[in-house]
């Protein structure tokens, strides 16, 4: 069914037929894909106007303080095509973006796209590990808390989650640095205060990998705690929503043990919203990493953002913004497609 | 004829007022039973009082670097209960004055966010058709733009000032509210009493002002407290990244400063722990109050 959905010819041939399950999903998926494309275009428009039209004079904002004489400004305007009509500029911008040309970074004196690709890996490693850990632990906590609602475990988990949720995640990171990297009182610093690996370590050797893991421990713990709260609360909420369902009564009436009722019947249904949220959050990779990478000096996209902000390097900022928006839109689409696959009721 | 209809509207209005007052009293009784919500409310009252009384509690010239009397990053003592910062100012004074900015930004940004959210949600839900669809799409688009990068870009383009940070947080945090209100309006719109009212000749203004808004307001109210929590968090993060107003002290800018002067590596916990604790306590309180309000106003959640 899903394979057929990938075939546009088959989709077209079946479009006239009465709705069946596959056709329903195909239409649903098509709608979502179109929506995502719309979001992409919207994002590009926002980008274009944010950096060119809104600040007033691009020669001033994009070339902050570096252009003084009228000749220089005219030259700048000509180089970037700013003497052309806005629509023409927008088309050029679209054309460049589609071809991967995101401009030139004045901070690194390189193409923005090159810098972005290079800085992507530490971020993916950091945020990917944290998201997986947070999802596993958070879902487990949520299930236990929701199933024994109002138990001591539940109160503790919910209270802890709400507190973590109310905490700026970078502040938590600062506390962890102070406690475990700098050390308090007799406790020596156990972990490095920052960086991705030691200066002398070879990242490809075994010791290098261990060294990187040692460096990433604190940041991963910080991000995991920050994400975990969200997942635990959502999982708990959706499990509680299922608690009063008739099918659980049926399952119990059949004589199933409590743990089986939970694991075979309640949890699979309650997992649905959590799955979507996890998929969605993968898109916030860059956004989530900005502050954490800054305080732990991890050379990823987040640190790149704060570095670009200091200059300010507008081309680079725009590149990061575009990349992060595109990531969110893609993750959003994936979450929607996944949800439609798992829950046929939303395909309307 | 006109006098009779006049008295009829008057009594129905009185009735409505009485009914609303009774509903409010009922809601307050239920809210009081929620221990977490009450605790949050008490904490918030105290914090707001402290913020309002800041000039009395801690003279404003304690904020001036030039009038600072303490040493560099002194540990807490009898004179400086929470120690001093790198400029010799009392951390407690900064904390008290920081509460004003953090609360002000949180509340003002929420007002903007609520106005946009309610307007967009109401319009797209009530009018439907293509303007509704366009507004709905716009809301969804704004929802998927990652908040922090957009806020950073906006703040760096607009420049650093108190008003700008309020605007940045306000215009980036409304889509959730808009979707919530839209779904609520969509469900209220289909109820029989709206149809009856329309059949009696009610116009858009009457329907929106008399039937939709009063029904939506409680939800907006509960959502508002949750939005304030997020807005305060956002202010803290943006200030930490150096995008706040450089001339004013907020909890976020204190943390930025503490990080900048190396309070973390020197172990000057009194400079970077208290502002963070304040943020957590205030945000948590707003969240608890918001959740309690939601529970009171949404019967479906009550059994939880």
């Amino acid at each position: 069914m899903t394979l057929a959905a990938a075939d546009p010819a088959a989709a077209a041939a079946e479009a006239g037929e009465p709705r069946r399950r596959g056709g329903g999903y195909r239409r649903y998926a098509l709608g979502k894909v179109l929506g995502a494309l719309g979001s992409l275009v919207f994002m590009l428009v926002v980008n274009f106007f944010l950096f060119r039209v809104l600040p007033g004079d691009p020669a001033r904002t994009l070339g902050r303080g570096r252009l003084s004489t009228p000749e220089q400004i005219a030259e700048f305007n000509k180089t970037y095509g700013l003497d052309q009509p806005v629509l023409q500029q927008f088309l050029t911008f679209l054309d460049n973006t589609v071809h991967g040309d995101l401009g030139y970074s004045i901070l690194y004196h390189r193409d923005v796209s090159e810098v972005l690709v290079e800085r992507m890996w530490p971020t993916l490693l950091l945020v990917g590990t944290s998201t997986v850990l947070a999802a596993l632990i958070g879902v487990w906590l949520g299930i236990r808390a929701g199933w024994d609602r109002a138990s001591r475990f539940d109160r503790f988990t919910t209270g802890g989650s709400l507190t973590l949720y109310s905490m700026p995640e970078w502040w938590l990171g600062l506390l962890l640095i102070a406690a475990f990297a700098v050390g308090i009182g007799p406790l020596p610093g156990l972990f490095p205060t920052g960086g991705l690996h030691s200066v002398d370590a070879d990242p490809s050797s075994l010791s290098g990998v261990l060294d990187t893991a040692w460096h990433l421990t604190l940041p991963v713990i910080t991000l995991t705690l920050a994400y975990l709260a969200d997942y635990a609360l959502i999982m708990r909420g959706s499990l509680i929503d299922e608690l009063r369902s008739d099918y659980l009564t049926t399952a119990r009436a059949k004589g199933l043990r409590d743990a089986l009722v939970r694991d075979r019947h309640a949890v699979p249904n309650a997992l649905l919203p959590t799955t979507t949220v996890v998929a969605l959050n993968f898109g916030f990779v860059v956004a989530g990493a900005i502050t954490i990478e800054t305080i732990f000096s991890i050379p990823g996209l987040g640190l790149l953002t704060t570095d670009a902000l200091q200059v300010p390097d507008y081309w680079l900022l725009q590149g990061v913004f575009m990349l992060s928006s595109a990531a969110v839109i893609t993750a959003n689409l994936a979450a929607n497609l996944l949800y439609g696959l798992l829950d046929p009721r939303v395909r309307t | 004829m006109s006098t009779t209809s006049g008295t009829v509207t008057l009594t129905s209005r009185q009735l409505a007022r009485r009914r609303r007052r009774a509903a409010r009293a009922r809601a307050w009784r239920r809210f009081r039973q929620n221990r977490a919500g009450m605790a949050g409310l008490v904490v918030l009252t105290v914090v707001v009082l402290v913020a309002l009384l800041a000039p009395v509690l801690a003279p404003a010239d304690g904020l001036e670097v030039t009038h600072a009397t303490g040493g560099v990053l002194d540990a807490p003592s009898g004179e400086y209960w929470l120690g001093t910062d790198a400029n010799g100012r009392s951390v407690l004074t900064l904390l008290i004055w920081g509460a004003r900015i953090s609360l002000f930004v949180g509340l003002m940004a929420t007002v903007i966010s609520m106005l946009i959210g309610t307007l967009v949600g109401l319009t797209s839900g009530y009018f439907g058709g293509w303007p509704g669809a366009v507004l709905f799409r716009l809301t969804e688009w704004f929802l998927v733009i990652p908040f922090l990068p957009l806020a950073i870009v906006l703040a760096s383009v607009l420049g650093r000032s108190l008003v700008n940070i309020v605007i940045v947080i306000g215009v980036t945090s409304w889509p959730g509210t808009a979707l919530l209100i839209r779904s609520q309006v969509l469900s209220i719109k289909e109820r029989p009493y709206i149809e009856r009212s329309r059949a009696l000749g009610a116009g858009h203004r009457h329907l929106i002002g008399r039937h939709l808004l009063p029904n939506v307001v409680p939800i907006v109210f509960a959502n508002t407290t949750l939005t304030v929590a997020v807005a305060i968090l956002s202010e803290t993060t943006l200030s930490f990244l150096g995008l706040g107003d450089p001339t004013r002290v907020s909890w976020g800018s204190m943390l930025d400063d503490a990080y900048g002067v190396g309070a973390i590596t020197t172990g000057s916990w009194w400079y970077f722990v208290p502002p963070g604790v304040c943020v957590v306590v205030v945000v948590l309180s707003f969240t608890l109050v918001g959740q309690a309000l939601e529970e009171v106003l949404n019967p479906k959640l009550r059994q939880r």
Side-chain angles (χ1 to χ4, degrees):
Chain A
M1 210 155 39
T2 16
L3 286 175
D7 182 0
E14 278 181 27
E17 287 180 24
R19 273 233 248 144
R20 284 183 298 158
R21 276 183 73 197
Y25 185 67
R26 212 166 296 146
R27 269 183 48 162
Y28 170 82
L30 192 69
K32 291 297 171 191
V33 170
L34 285 179
L37 284 178
S39 302
L40 269 176
V41 173
F42 175 74
M43 185 268 288
L44 287 172
V45 173
V46 167
N47 237 295
F48 179 75
F49 281 97
L50 205 59
F51 283 95
R52 281 166 192 75
V53 182
L54 192 76
D57 184 9
R60 216 195 57 220
T61 29
L62 292 176
R64 279 245 159 136
R66 281 148 201 271
L67 308 164
S68 41
T69 64
E71 291 83 49
Q72 274 181 318
I73 292 174
E75 175 70 26
F76 177 88
N77 283 347
K78 207 165 164 253
T79 320
Y80 292 104
L82 292 170
D83 48 350
Q84 288 171 345
V86 173
L87 187 67
Q88 183 62 44
Q89 283 186 41
F90 182 61
L91 290 177
T92 318
F93 165 74
L94 272 188
D95 188 49
N96 287 346
T97 309
V98 168
H99 289 98
D101 178 4
L102 299 178
Y104 188 77
S105 160
I106 53 170
L107 177 62
Y108 294 97
H109 298 291
R110 284 165 65 196
D111 281 341
V112 167
S113 43
E114 245 178 71
V115 181
L116 288 183
V117 169
E118 191 186 290
R119 294 294 204 101
M120 210 157 67
W121 301 112
T123 303
L124 280 179
L125 184 64
L126 169 67
V127 180
T129 318
S130 316
T131 309
V132 171
L133 280 177
L136 290 177
I137 304 172
V139 164
W140 183 80
L141 285 175
I143 290 173
R144 279 207 54 186
W147 197 250
D148 291 322
R149 194 154 41 113
S151 66
R152 188 177 298 168
F153 183 85
D154 177 30
R155 276 205 296 270
F156 183 75
T157 310
T158 311
S161 300
L162 278 175
T163 312
L164 281 174
Y165 187 72
S166 311
M167 199 178 280
E169 67 275 10
W170 46 267
W171 184 67
L172 179 64
L174 291 183
L175 291 186
L176 290 179
I177 291 179
F180 299 111
V182 178
I184 26 173
L187 187 74
L190 299 172
F191 293 97
T193 48
L196 191 57
H197 42 68
S198 307
V199 195
D200 51 346
D202 169 23
S204 52
S205 68
L206 180 65
S207 64
V209 171
L210 287 175
D211 181 64
T212 305
W214 182 54
H215 276 80
L216 279 179
T217 307
L218 283 185
V220 165
I221 290 178
T222 313
L223 265 187
T224 304
L225 285 173
Y227 291 153
L228 175 148
D230 220 3
Y231 299 149
L233 289 175
I234 291 169
M235 188 65 211
R236 175 180 179 271
S238 41
L239 190 63
I240 287 174
D241 278 343
E242 298 292 329
L243 281 184
R244 280 186 299 275
S245 307
D246 293 335
Y247 67 83
L248 290 186
T249 319
T250 313
R252 281 202 193 88
K254 281 196 302 188
L256 284 186
R257 274 183 293 121
D258 192 52
L260 278 182
V261 175
R262 185 185 67 200
D263 297 342
R264 289 230 191 112
H265 294 275
V267 168
N269 282 300
L271 263 177
L272 217 58
T274 321
T275 318
T276 337
V277 175
V278 173
L280 247 180
N281 274 5
F282 266 118
F284 286 90
V285 159
V286 187
I290 290 180
T291 48
I292 296 300
E293 282 184 8
T294 306
I295 59 168
F296 285 102
S297 318
I298 294 169
L301 291 171
L303 188 60
L304 186 71
T305 312
T306 33
D307 285 345
L309 205 57
Q310 306 296 327
V311 178
D313 185 341
Y314 282 100
W315 294 111
L316 201 52
L317 273 181
Q318 177 188 296
V320 173
F321 180 56
M322 268 203 267
L323 184 68
S324 49
S325 311
V328 175
I329 292 168
T330 314
N332 204 357
L333 178 65
N336 274 321
L337 293 182
L338 192 67
Y339 205 118
L341 208 60
L342 296 176
D343 185 353
R345 286 170 299 182
V346 297
R347 301 178 201 164
T348 46
Chain B
M1 183 68 205
S2 61
T3 36
T4 11
S5 80
T7 42
V8 168
T9 28
L10 195 70
T11 43
S12 85
R13 221 173 250 176
Q14 273 176 340
L15 267 176
R17 208 171 291 157
R18 208 163 290 170
R19 202 179 57 229
R20 280 195 195 126
R21 202 183 306 143
R24 269 201 297 272
R26 209 163 45 237
W28 171 237
R29 263 202 312 281
R30 274 206 207 104
F31 183 87
R32 267 191 315 195
Q33 282 163 8
N34 188 313
R35 285 220 308 262
M38 275 313 278
L41 193 63
V42 169
V43 170
L44 287 182
T45 315
V46 172
V47 174
V48 169
L49 278 180
V50 167
L52 288 177
L53 294 176
V56 183
L57 295 170
D61 62 316
L63 296 172
E64 305 278 335
V65 181
T66 43
H67 294 169
T69 45
V72 174
L73 288 174
D74 274 348
S77 60
E79 192 183 356
Y80 302 104
W81 292 353
L82 284 175
T84 62
D85 75 344
N87 292 312
R89 298 177 291 180
S90 161
V91 172
L92 189 61
T93 306
L94 296 178
L95 217 52
I96 291 172
W97 282 85
R100 299 188 120 189
I101 300 300
S102 293
L103 284 179
F104 175 80
V105 172
L107 292 172
M108 288 315 288
T110 304
V111 169
I112 295 183
S113 159
M114 284 296 140
L115 281 180
I116 305 179
T118 311
L119 199 67
V120 172
L122 206 62
T123 324
S124 80
Y126 181 77
F127 289 107
W130 70 264
V134 167
L135 280 175
F136 178 56
R137 264 272 106 87
L138 192 75
T139 317
E140 280 202 316
W141 285 339
F142 262 95
L143 203 64
V144 297
I145 294 180
F147 163 74
L148 195 54
L150 177 65
I152 286 176
V153 165
L154 268 180
S156 69
V157 164
L158 289 176
R160 301 169 58 179
S161 82
L162 195 63
V163 176
N164 281 349
I165 201 165
V166 167
I167 292 176
V168 166
I169 298 173
V171 299
T172 46
S173 58
W174 58 269
T177 314
L179 284 188
L180 186 73
I181 288 174
R182 178 176 185 271
S183 69
Q184 198 65 22
V185 167
L186 282 178
S187 93
I188 295 171
K189 204 172 73 171
E190 300 306 321
R191 287 184 196 164
Y193 71 85
I194 299 281
E195 200 183 339
R196 169 189 165 276
S197 188
R198 198 177 289 137
L200 288 173
H204 292 315
R205 231 168 100 184
H206 179 86
L207 284 178
I208 291 177
R210 274 296 144 99
H211 295 301
L212 288 176
L213 269 182
N215 273 305
V216 172
V217 160
I219 296 158
V220 176
F221 200 50
N223 189 245
T224 305
T225 38
L226 296 174
T227 309
V228 178
V230 177
I232 291 179
L233 272 180
S234 310
E235 190 274 338
T236 315
T237 300
L238 288 178
S239 295
F240 179 68
L241 292 174
L243 291 166
D245 189 332
T247 59
R248 286 174 218 261
V249 176
S250 76
W251 293 331
S253 74
M254 285 175 76
L255 288 167
D256 181 29
D257 195 47
Y259 181 67
V261 302
I264 287 97
T265 33
T266 56
S268 313
W269 56 268
W270 56 89
Y271 197 21
F272 67 88
V273 172
V277 170
C278 285
V279 171
V280 174
V281 167
V282 167
V283 171
L284 186 62
S285 302
F286 271 113
T287 310
L288 289 178
V289 169
Q291 282 189 341
L293 277 177
E294 252 177 3
E295 222 164 279
V296 167
L297 301 168
N298 186 352
K300 264 197 231 149
L301 296 172
R302 216 167 282 152
Q303 290 95 2
R304 282 192 185 174

